[in-house]
Every structure is written in structure tokens, then in C-alpha cells.
Amino acid sequence: MFVQETVFTDGIAQLSYLLGDTDSGHAAVIDPRTDVEVYEQLARKHGLAITHIFETHIHADFVSGSRSLAERVGRAQIYLSGDHADYQFDGQPVADGETFDFGSFQLTARHTPGHTPEHMTFEIAESGHHDTPWAVFTGDSLFVGSAGRPDLLGEGQTAQLAEALYHTLYGYFLKLDDFVTVFPGHGAGSACGAAIGDRLQSTIGYERRTNPFLSYPDLESFRQFVVTDAPPVPWHYPQLKKINAAGPDIMDRLPTIPALPPDDFRRVAREPGVHVLDTRSMLAFGGGHVPGAINIAGRSELSAWAGQMLDLDQRLLLVVEREDDLDRIERLLVRTGHGCFAGYLSGGMEAWEIAGLPLETLEQIPVQRLRELQISDGDLTILDVRAPDEWASGHIPGSKHHFVADMRDRINGLDKSARYATYCASGYRASIAASLMKARGFSDVSNVPGSWGAWTAAGFPSEQPEGATA
């Protein structure tokens, strides 16, 4: 019997797949994530042995779990996406058209360049119907309502990859039957493609009729669309590509994070290359935090924003809401390459307070109060830290735009002595920005909980940049 399990990794919106045949007992995993226990558990649930691990391409947004999974299950072969990539670890290159037999089904590799030069899609067909695939595992080539971006390898390769993507989409995917199911490598929220749809699967027929990437009849108009419509490239993507090409470290367990009492925590925080990451909620952080801490709350988005804002070689000191949260927080961090931990605050902020150590606060301004200040206080700068496309779709009148990701290395063009209130869509990214500004010496910064969502829900006015369309 054929078995399929989909593993959705929230925060990075990554999709991986376990496919197996209970009669043969063999199973394959496509694009495993960093923490790989989930695949072993799913294989055991169905009485399967993982024998094949497939990489559709060299990933940029998370650390691949292929090597860790192969080590964990003991007998699986890693199959790498073709001869077009500079993989630097042991694995079997997969050629275009190569077929893998699992008993009741077969997987066939198809070279689908564009997002990357080496990208492979895997067709699945019933045994005996090899030429009639019923589904495709598209990796980062075709998404629901979108397609993989061709600009992650730098400007020098963007034009060539955009052309390759065009031929992949129009010369391969659009020639498949309408009934073929599309199982993509990412869902909504990933920066590997522009405006990826919410659904986790689709069909070729539906994408043919609705996907804007499949609506351009000529190469030049398509190339212009895919290059101009892509979101900003996250800082950590090139770094993770290097790690995944070289071969990620095998992770047989989560790294050890030592518990540090407040005095030891304070001492280690003063060491070079150490950063304090406070993963509590924005309201808890605002009420009192370790001086110099950066607030990236421990929701699923932590993976992407820690990757975006923190260097991979930085030693992290963690402040968590509850010590029971530590393993979950650590999993979110290792998925985007952070495995160097200096410790965590034992006893949390309560222990810090009882020890009489210094506290800083971050004022939280509700949107009603922000509206009053907008009208009465000409000295307050309202800072929109959302992505450029969000800003263009509508923002608070009179606000200034400064994307939070651009604050990673330095904060240019802002007066440290001025008064600021930061907002985003919900307050999550605004708290990252406000905490970073305070840590960099800005004297008067506030955060807006609820942010744009609360502002619009309250019926307050908005504006768009001149010439922009919603």
C-alpha cells in the first residue's frame, strides 16, 4: 500500500515528504528539515524503512537534514540534485530521467532549473504506469500561485536563471496533464517565492488557470515580472546555501545549552561575540528585560527572523518565558543555522529581578494612544518597519519606512536622539526593530502592539505612496 506523509515546518513554511510502500517496506524522504526525528517516527508508524533521501536543490532558507537523517536511520542513501551543483559531501548524483522503484510506485527525476541551476522535480507514478505521473514534488520550482525566485545566486546569474525558469515552467510543467497534483517545497510565508498561496497543494490545471507566473507568453515579459516582483533576499540565504553545499553538520541531538544563574549570565553577556536573545512576548519584554537584549519572540517566525537578524557565528544567550520552552526554542533556532549557544538565564527574568540586576523597559503604545500622539505630538516619528510591498499597499499617514531587515548591520538615516514608535503588521517585527534600536543607543523608542492590524481594525486613516496601487 502506498503511504504519503507531509511535514509542514511552520515559521519557514517548508514542506517535506515521506513516501513509502508498506508491501516492499521501503520509504523515501524528500527535502528533510534540520531536526529529523519526525521522519523516523512517521516511518515507524507505517512499518517502513527509510532507504532513500532526495534533495531537490541546495536550500537557502533552512539547514538540510539529509546527512543527519541518513546517520540516524543507518541505511539510507542520499541522492543529490544532479551534476549541476557543487555539493561537497558524499551523495549519489541524480540524472534527469532517472527512475527509482519502490514497489507500488516509482519516482522519476526531472531537471527543472531556474530557482537554482541544479534543481530537480520528482514525478510519482504507479508501478506499470511510469509515463503517466499523478503528482509532482516540485521543490522550489513551482509553488501554489507562484514560482521559485531566480535571484538568490546574485545579479550575475539572475538573467540566465530567469530564462531557465521560464523554460521549466512553460516547457515542462505546462505540458503535464491538468489532473497532476502539485506538492511544493514551500507554502505561504516563505521568501523563496513571491506571494506563495495558502494551500499546501494544487493541480497543474488549477495553476495553469490562476498562477500569474504561468500567464506570460514571452520570455522578456516573464523575466521582467519575476525579477521585479521578488521580495528582498533575506540576509541568511547565501550563508545557508554555503552550509548546505558543504554538508551540514550531523545533528544526533540538540546542542547543549548550559543554565546560567543571573550573575554568570551577566558576566557571559559582556564577552565578545555574545548576544542576548529574549524570546518572550513583546509585552513581557516591554515590561522589563536584560539591557541590550534583542526581542525575537518564540513563535514559529523565530526561525526566519533569527536567521535574518543574527550572525551564524554569534554565541547566543537565551531568555525564555518558561524553561520548558527551551527545547522548542532551540529547534526553531537550529533550523536556520544557529547552533552556538552560550547559555540561558536560569530562573528567567524573575531570578534576574530578585538578584537586583539592572532592568530596561520598552514602552508599548496602543494604537489609540498612537493616534492621539500623531495628532498632537509633532516630535514623534512613526516608523513603519514592514517589507517594501507592505508599505506600498498602505501605511499610517506621515510615517517613515525603514524595513527591519535593513537594520541588521547598521541603522542609517535615523537620529538617535529623536522619538520613535515602531509598527509592523502585528507588533512582532516592530518589537525586533525597537529592541535593536535601543540596543544601538536610540534614547526614546516605543513599540506598537497590534500595529497595522490594530490600526486598521480601529478605523484609523491610511495612505499609500504616490503612484502606488493596492
Side-chain angles (χ1 to χ4, degrees), residues 57-300:
H57 66 293
I58 300 176
H59 304 285
D61 62 309
F62 69 99
V63 176
S64 167
S66 288
R67 297 185 73 225
S68 295
L69 182 58
E71 177 73 14
R72 189 175 184 91
V73 301
R75 57 172 296 203
Q77 173 67 54
I78 300 173
Y79 293 91
L80 302 175
S81 48
D83 298 320
H84 307 271
D86 186 24
Y87 287 104
Q88 297 151 40
F89 61 95
D90 290 339
Q92 182 66 43
V94 177
D96 180 53
E98 189 170 350
T99 297
F100 301 86
D101 192 344
F102 290 86
S104 64
F105 70 95
Q106 293 177 319
L107 289 178
T108 301
R110 299 298 183 192
H111 185 213
T112 49
H115 178 64
T116 62
E118 79 285 355
H119 195 285
M120 285 284 183
T121 287
F122 291 93
E123 299 174 351
I124 185 169
E126 293 181 349
S127 181
H129 300 281
H130 171 71
D131 295 329
T132 310
W134 61 266
V136 281
F137 295 88
T138 61
D140 287 17
S141 55
L142 178 65
F143 299 127
V144 175
S146 185
R149 58 192 301 171
D151 62 340
L152 294 184
L153 299 184
E155 292 184 6
Q157 297 189 55
T158 298
Q160 180 180 355
L161 286 173
E163 181 174 352
L165 181 63
Y166 176 82
H167 293 300
T168 285
L169 296 177
Y170 290 81
Y172 169 66
F173 285 116
L174 284 182
K175 291 184 177 180
L176 295 172
D177 291 320
D178 278 357
F179 62 76
V180 173
T181 302
V182 173
F183 293 108
H186 286 288
S190 170
C192 291
I196 300 173
D198 290 334
R199 291 176 296 110
L200 300 187
Q201 65 185 66
S202 186
T203 64
I204 291 295
Y206 189 82
E207 295 306 305
R208 191 191 311 276
R209 290 161 178 78
T210 63
N211 191 324
F213 284 78
L214 302 178
S215 64
Y216 288 85
D218 64 275
L219 171 60
E220 197 49 48
S221 59
F222 172 82
R223 183 173 9 223
Q224 184 176 0
F225 169 71
V226 298
V227 172
T228 58
D229 196 49
V233 177
W235 174 87
H236 60 300
Y237 276 23
Q239 317 305 315
L240 295 187
K241 269 199 170 291
K242 292 177 182 178
I243 290 173
N244 286 326
D249 291 339
I250 294 172
M251 190 174 70
D252 58 353
R253 62 177 178 82
L254 291 172
T256 299
I257 307 180
L260 299 178
D263 286 334
D264 291 341
F265 188 95
R266 188 185 190 193
R267 174 182 54 78
V268 174
R270 294 170 172 169
E271 296 177 0
V274 172
H275 288 261
V276 179
L277 174 61
D278 192 321
T279 65
R280 297 175 300 147
S281 71
M282 72 181 84
L283 297 181
F285 181 85
H289 57 265
V290 175
I294 306 302
N295 179 223
I296 310 179
R299 302 188 331 202
S300 57

Side-chain angles (χ1 to χ4, degrees), residues 371-440:
R371 177 61 174 157
E372 293 172 1
L373 292 172
Q374 182 193 41
I375 295 170
S376 63
D377 189 348
D379 291 333
L380 178 68
T381 298
I382 302 175
L383 202 62
D384 186 320
V385 301
R386 298 175 298 163
D389 61 330
E390 295 174 280
W391 161 263
S393 68
H395 53 262
I396 295 176
S399 59
K400 290 187 175 181
H401 181 241
H402 202 117
F403 184 32
V404 60
D406 294 336
M407 298 181 180
R408 202 194 79 86
D409 293 320
R410 60 187 63 86
I411 303 175
N412 294 325
L414 299 177
D415 181 0
K416 288 188 174 182
S417 64
R419 296 179 59 212
Y420 296 95
T422 61
Y423 81 92
C424 60
S426 66
Y428 185 91
R429 290 170 292 171
S431 193
I432 299 174
S435 64
L436 192 61
M437 292 172 72
K438 288 205 72 172
R440 301 261 177 93

